[in-house]
Each structure stands twice: as C-alpha cells, then as structure tokens.
Amino acid sequence: MKSNSSSPILKNRTLRIFTLLTAAAILAAGCSAPGKAGTATAQLQPKPIKTEAITKHNISTPIEQIADVSAGTVLDVIAKANGEVLNVLKKRGDYVEKGDVLFDIDSRDAESSKRKSELALKSAQESLQKAQDDKVNNRKDLADAVTRSQTAYKNAEQDYNKIRNDYDAGTVTQHLVDQAKQAVDNAKMSLDSAQNKLTANDNSNTIASIETQAETARLSMDDATRSLDNYSVKAPSSGVLTDFNVVVGQSISAAAGKIGQVQQIDPIKLKTELSQTNYQLVKGKKELVYYNPDTPDKKETAQISYLAPLMSSSTKTFTLELEVPNADHLLQPGKRFMVQLTTETEEQVISVPTLSIIREESDTFVFVQQGDQYQKRKVKLGRINGEYQEVIDGVKDGEKLVTAGQNTLKDGQKVDNASASAGSQPITTPAAK
C-alpha cells in the first residue's frame, strides 16, 4: 500500500526534471549554432564629445556674520568738585547733548573763593596801573632833566667861547677863562649823568614784580572761575546717559571717579571678530552690507571704520568695526545685526558641472577646447552648489569646456581626430557560453 501511494509523486518530479534539461539543451544548441561561435561583440557607441561655454554661476548666498551694536564712543561722567547734590536735571536713559547740565553741587564755598579772587585781582590791577603811571611820569622827569642838562651844557660852551674871545682881546683875565672852562666841564658831567639815568630807566622794568603780582591774581581768578563751573556737572558728549544714579542730597567726591557714562549713538558701531578666512574676504573693502535679522529685506551699507591689521594674540581674530549713521537713534547698543562679508555679485563665480571634472588621485582636471585641440587643464576647485563646482584657478570665463566624452580624450588631441576616435571604439563584453 505504501509504495503505491508514492509512485505518482516520483513520476511528476521526473517529468519536471526532464523538461528543464531539454530546455537547457535547446538553449545550448542555439548559442553554439554555426556562424555564432567565439566572442559576441556588442556595438555600443561611445559618448559623443560635447562642449559648452564656461560661465559664472551663483555658488552660494553672501557670507554673513553676527555683529554687536555698540556705542560709537563711551565717555565717563566724572565730578571734579566735592559737595552735596542740590538738584538733578537728567536721569539714566535720557538722551543728552554735549554740555547739558546733569546735576548741580552746592557751590557756596567756591563762589566765596571766586569773590576773594576778584577782589585780589582788582587790587593787583590798581597797583599795576599806579606803577605804570609812575613809571611814565618818572621817565618824563628823567627826559626833562636830560633836556635841561643839554641846554645848560650848550650855554656853558657859549659863555666859555665868549670869554676866550674877550681874553684874546685883553679885556678879561685868565682866571675868568678857567672858571668858564670849569662850568663847561660841570655841565657836561650833569648831561652825562642825566642821560645815563634815562638809559638805565629804559633798559630796566621797574614794575616787573607788580606785573607778576597782577598776573598771579588773574590766574587765581581764572582757577576760581573754572572751579565754580565744576559745580555744575555736564555731559561730556552727546548720547545716552547710562550707569547714572545720582540723587538729591547725595555727597559727591571728586576722588570717587566715574559716576555715569554717556554712550554716543550717532554714529553707532557694528563690531565683530573675523577669522583668518573671513578677514581675507573683507580686506581692502571700504564698506559692507548690514541688516536687522528682524527685517532681512531692508539692507543698508556702512563704512568700515576699523579693520585690525594684526590678529589678536588672545582671540586669534581680527576686529572689524562699521560706522553707521544713527540720527533717528533707532539703533541702540546691545542689539545684534548681520553683516554681509561678501555681496551677491561676489558669489557669482566661475564654475563647471561636477560631471565634467576628471579626478586623478589628489589632482583634478578638465578638458577645454582650445582652437583645434583639446587641452587638459589642472584646476583648483572650491565650493559646490548642486551640479556645479567653483573653479578658483585653471580656466577662464567664456572658454569652451568639454562636458561629455572627456574621459576618451588625451591632452593635445585634435578636435576632428577625437570625433573619429570616439566613433570607432567599440565596447566589448564576453560572449555567453
């Protein structure tokens, strides 16, 4: 019973095996038919040579960096006088103009000192005026004395000459001649003395000490005036008043140092630190584009006010500062803006299709049609955007780039020969057995 039940199954399996063997034999016979023996050649056409002009493509969006908004300058508010605060005119956060009074200090002692200086100056000026008048009068007296001595000397000479004539005529004695000669000598000595006194007066400043006293009094008066002015503490520049907490009744000391700051916000600064790579993008430029991240469509340009020529030894970066006009005071320190280190135009660079690039180990090449030849050019590549890659060096805008079939070319190969060669190189595959 057992052998009868398994017999149909064995018969079915034998039939299926026989069918498969028969099909395989027929297939083998077909493959080894006369005229088809040996290698089967598939006539595959090689990829045709194609070229296109090298052009610029947008390789990336402008390179941006975050910049901090900071005050153009920051000046400290410093009191130069001691005393009690009488009134406060400004508060923290106010916008102040240069010279605005921020608060007043009790100045009664300074006013008294100024008054004393005024009186001292007035007294010194009166003394100087009197000394100057006396000097003028004294010189006049000396000049008059010279004039009188000149007249006396002239008269003495005339008398002497007359007596000599009379002596020659025999009407006077020698004694009278000698007396007349003595009078001339005395008059000459008087004249010389008067002239010497006048010269000495003119060559000396007899009121120098009084002039010094008057000048000292004037300087003291100036000091007192400036000192009194220090009791009204003023804004050192225009800007926003910060770190200011002065109240009425507070005692202020000149030795306390800073009691507030004025941050200049027109113009205001955008400040950031650049890496070595980004420094090269900015170097040589005069202005950059900036914008508020909250309103990215509204872009402005700003002048580069400072670009560090040397890298910071501590941060290994280069400081960049832009100066931005801020007449409406909308930009406030503490905010952050975006600065574009490159422009849309700069991101339009020479680039080639990535499929046109030939890579040989660490080197990269492309083929360029130059006249009737194909030249193999070594290229330096940059950034990739989609199907294009930036070419930093190696090709120029407008040259004819081989974009297809470049793998079949050799450097210097003629254009016509390349086409013929491409059409006569079949790709073979082993025949099935």
Side-chain angles (χ1 to χ4, degrees), residues 4-17:
N4 292 337
S5 62
S6 61
S7 179
I9 296 175
L10 290 174
K11 289 180 180 180
N12 290 336
R13 286 180 179 176
T14 301
L15 180 60
R16 284 198 299 270
I17 292 172

Side-chain angles (χ1 to χ4, degrees), residues 65 271-280 306-320:
Q65 188 160 319
K271 183 177 179 181
T272 188
E273 298 293 328
L274 301 177
S275 65
Q276 175 72 44
T277 301
N278 287 350
Y279 171 78
Q280 296 300 326
Y306 177 72
L307 178 60
L310 297 176
M311 177 186 291
S312 169
S313 58
S314 57
T315 63
K316 306 300 181 185
T317 58
F318 297 83
T319 300
L320 169 67

Side-chain angles (χ1 to χ4, degrees), residues 82-317:
N82 303 325
E84 180 183 345
V85 176
L86 295 182
N87 60 333
V88 179
L89 288 80
K90 301 291 182 180
K91 64 181 183 298
R92 181 175 55 186
D94 284 350
Y95 184 87
V96 297
E97 298 289 347
K98 182 178 180 179
D100 284 353
V101 177
L102 306 180
F103 63 95
D104 292 319
I105 302 173
D106 186 357
S107 60
R108 286 175 292 181
D109 291 342
E111 290 173 352
S112 177
S113 177
K114 181 183 177 183
R115 180 57 181 162
K116 291 176 182 179
S117 297
E118 288 175 344
L119 294 175
L121 177 60
K122 181 179 179 182
S123 176
Q125 288 174 337
E126 290 175 350
S127 297
L128 177 60
Q129 185 62 51
K130 183 177 182 304
Q132 289 173 337
D133 293 342
D134 290 345
K135 182 179 180 179
V136 171
N137 294 332
N138 185 52
R139 190 188 187 285
K140 185 176 183 304
D141 292 341
L142 293 174
D144 290 344
V146 170
T147 301
R148 288 193 298 270
S149 296
Q150 288 173 337
T151 301
Y153 176 63
K154 182 178 180 181
N155 292 336
E157 282 188 322
Q158 290 176 349
D159 291 343
Y160 173 67
N161 292 331
K162 182 177 182 302
I163 290 175
R164 284 194 62 181
N165 291 334
D166 290 345
Y167 174 77
D168 292 339
T171 58
V172 296
T173 64
Q174 181 65 43
H175 179 68
L176 290 177
V177 174
D178 293 340
Q179 286 182 337
K181 180 65 171 65
Q182 185 62 45
V184 171
D185 292 340
N186 291 338
K188 181 67 169 64
M189 287 189 292
S190 296
L191 175 60
D192 290 343
S193 176
Q195 287 178 331
N196 290 337
K197 289 179 180 179
L198 179 60
T199 301
N201 179 81
D202 290 342
N203 292 335
S204 63
N205 188 355
T206 57
I207 62 172
S209 60
I210 300 176
E211 288 177 334
T212 300
Q213 293 174 0
E215 180 63 15
T216 301
R218 187 188 65 79
L219 292 175
S220 297
M221 177 63 184
D222 292 343
D223 290 343
T225 301
R226 284 195 300 271
S227 177
L228 183 60
D229 190 56
N230 290 335
Y231 285 81
S232 291
V233 180
K234 301 175 182 178
S237 68
S238 300
V240 177
L241 183 61
T242 61
D243 299 334
F244 183 73
N245 299 295
V246 177
V247 295
V248 174
Q250 178 181 348
S251 293
I252 294 295
S253 172
K258 180 183 71 175
I259 54 178
Q261 286 186 325
V262 175
Q263 299 189 25
Q264 182 184 13
I265 60 173
D266 184 23
I268 205 165
K269 287 183 180 179
L270 300 182
K271 183 177 179 181
T272 188
E273 298 293 328
L274 301 177
S275 65
Q276 175 72 44
T277 301
N278 287 350
Y279 171 78
Q280 296 300 326
L281 298 177
V282 175
K283 186 178 180 181
K285 294 182 179 179
K286 300 297 183 182
E287 61 182 19
L288 295 175
V289 174
Y290 73 94
Y291 65 91
N292 187 336
D294 297 334
T295 54
D297 294 334
K298 185 180 179 182
K299 297 182 178 181
E300 304 285 346
T301 58
Q303 296 292 321
I304 296 177
S305 58
Y306 177 72
L307 178 60
L310 297 176
M311 177 186 291
S312 169
S313 58
S314 57
T315 63
K316 306 300 181 185
T317 58

Side-chain angles (χ1 to χ4, degrees), residues 384-409:
I384 297 177
N385 185 7
E387 62 179 7
Y388 285 92
Q389 185 162 5
E390 177 185 13
V391 179
I392 300 173
D393 184 46
V395 295
K396 298 179 181 179
D397 190 12
E399 289 189 301
K400 296 179 70 174
L401 173 74
V402 177
T403 58
Q406 68 273 17
N407 293 310
T408 66
L409 298 177

Side-chain angles (χ1 to χ4, degrees), residues 22-56:
T22 301
I26 294 172
L27 179 60
C31 292
S32 57
K36 300 296 182 178
T39 303
T41 302
Q43 297 294 332
L44 300 179
Q45 293 295 328
K47 197 170 185 180
I49 305 299
K50 292 183 179 180
T51 61
E52 66 178 43
I54 297 174
T55 60
K56 292 183 178 181

